[in-house]
Amino acid sequence: MRNFGDSTPASATTSFAGLKRCVDALLYSSAWLAAAAVGLTWATFLFWRVDVPFRLAMLIFTATLFLYNIDSVLPYKYSQQLVLSERKLWMINHRRELFLLALGSLAVAGLLFWLDGWEHLLGFLGHLAAISLLYSLPVARVKGKWRALRDFPLLKVFLIAYVWAAVTVWIPAFYLSKPLLSPVVLVLFGRRFLFILALAFVFDIRDYTKDRLTGTRTFPGVFGVKATKIFALTVLVVSSFLIPQGVLHHSLLVLTVPTLLAGAIIWFADETRPDYYFALLADGVMLVQFLAVYLVS
């Protein structure tokens, strides 16, 4: 007679392992991050009471997948295995799949770019792509060693915030023919830039030891982790005071939720936290911001 009691733990273990594999793939392939990019773009469209066009959402999703996955398979990242986290080990074991995903995403993004007639914005989008690619690729020779943009002291968090704010605010503005220098667009851009900047410090805290070992001078390495958290929280508070004209007062209560969550994530950030803390929570709070905007729209 079959003993069902004996099989239950094994079945549960198998189910958990399968779930973990799916979650790892979602997070470490940057699909979760790409969804966050779409969510923030959608949030900007919702400010003007418009849903994000599906093909534009796909363009942003696939372009984000390409940029982050091509960065994750760069050769230099596998020659500096100083801190092997679970995330890094997953990427090493799936390097071929990530490369193929990057190529497939590039093909889809390129096709959508051409079909939807974005050629007139080639210069604008090109400079964002250049920053994203040169973020990790050698761009200048300093003291006999080639350096990427991320290697310049204290620069990388500002680059990340700029590109994310430009994509998720300026592209919707371009699409809807809104002047980029209009007060409402400038406030939206500033609010998004500071929100992403505050979250970017969390990943500097995550990479604290690795950056010190590789000689990359980041805020935690120069000023300390506690000072970085205080600065990040200050930036987050300033972002919350940038309120675009037209936002109703009762909506601010809902929009405060992602700000409070982001503040908690920043305060409790530590390099010893598991990878899910950063990949799931720190990136996921951007989707919470989209949901907050969606609820009040």
Side-chain angles (χ1 to χ4, degrees):
M1 183 174 181
R2 185 177 177 183
N3 190 334
F4 289 96
D6 292 339
S7 65
T8 301
S11 176
T13 300
T14 302
S15 298
F16 177 79
L19 177 61
K20 188 178 186 305
R21 283 195 296 270
C22 292
V23 173
D24 287 349
L26 176 68
L27 298 179
Y28 303 149
S29 70
S30 296
W32 181 247
L33 190 64
V38 173
L40 290 180
T41 305
W42 194 347
T44 304
F45 273 99
L46 288 174
F47 175 78
W48 286 300
R49 301 294 188 270
V50 179
D51 278 325
V52 62
F54 176 76
R55 283 170 44 152
L56 177 57
M58 284 300 300
L59 173 60
I60 291 172
F61 183 84
T62 52
T64 304
L65 271 184
F66 163 70
L67 290 170
Y68 275 87
N69 281 305
I70 203 66
D71 176 80
S72 70
V73 299
L74 290 175
Y76 89 95
K77 296 215 168 179
Y78 297 88
S79 62
Q80 54 169 224
Q81 302 304 332
L82 302 171
V83 181
L84 285 178
S85 64
E86 180 181 338
R87 176 180 63 92
K88 182 65 70 175
L89 286 171
W90 188 94
M91 289 179 173
I92 292 173
N93 293 331
H94 297 84
R95 189 178 182 186
R96 181 174 178 272
E97 290 85 349
L98 292 176
F99 181 66
L100 292 175
L101 178 60
L103 291 183
S105 299
L106 177 61
V108 174
L111 180 63
L112 290 171
F113 178 88
W114 178 72
L115 288 177
D116 291 347
W118 288 93
E119 293 89 345
H120 64 291
L121 294 179
L122 185 60
F124 168 75
L125 297 174
H127 98 278
L128 296 179
I131 292 173
S132 301
L133 290 171
L134 294 176
Y135 176 81
S136 294
L137 292 173
V139 66
R141 194 175 181 87
V142 180
K143 296 181 180 180
K145 185 176 180 180
W146 283 99
R147 298 284 185 177
L149 289 177
R150 72 187 306 279
D151 295 322
F152 287 86
L154 311 180
L155 183 60
K156 68 176 188 174
V157 287
F158 295 100
L159 294 175
I160 293 169
Y162 171 72
V163 171
W164 272 75
V167 169
T168 62
V169 174
W170 281 345
I171 287 181
F174 273 125
Y175 190 91
L176 297 173
S177 300
K178 306 288 184 181
L180 297 191
L181 297 181
S182 65
V184 67
V185 174
L186 288 176
V187 171
L188 282 170
F189 181 87
R191 182 181 177 92
R192 185 66 48 75
F193 176 87
L194 293 176
F195 182 78
I196 298 298
L197 179 62
L199 289 175
F201 286 117
V202 172
F203 294 93
D204 270 0
I205 293 171
R206 179 195 68 184
D207 297 335
Y208 174 70
T209 297
K210 179 180 75 68
D211 285 335
R212 291 193 67 184
L213 291 173
T214 57
T216 302
R217 299 182 66 192
T218 62
F219 276 83
V222 174
F223 302 108
V225 171
K226 185 175 181 180
T228 299
K229 289 182 179 182
I230 293 172
F231 184 66
L233 290 172
T234 303
V235 167
L236 188 65
V237 170
V238 173
S239 76
S240 69
F241 282 104
L242 293 178
I243 303 170
Q245 186 177 6
V247 175
L248 300 176
H249 290 294
H250 72 272
S251 301
L252 294 178
L253 293 174
V254 179
L255 295 176
T256 301
V257 172
T259 301
L260 293 175
L261 288 175
I265 290 168
I266 292 167
W267 185 250
F268 292 106
D270 186 271
E271 65 174 334
T272 61
R273 297 282 184 192
D275 287 308
Y276 278 14
Y277 183 89
F278 303 96
L280 183 61
L281 299 182
D283 287 340
V285 75
M286 292 186 281
L287 284 169
V288 174
Q289 188 178 72
F290 156 70
L291 290 174
V293 174
Y294 187 83
L295 288 174
V296 301
S297 297

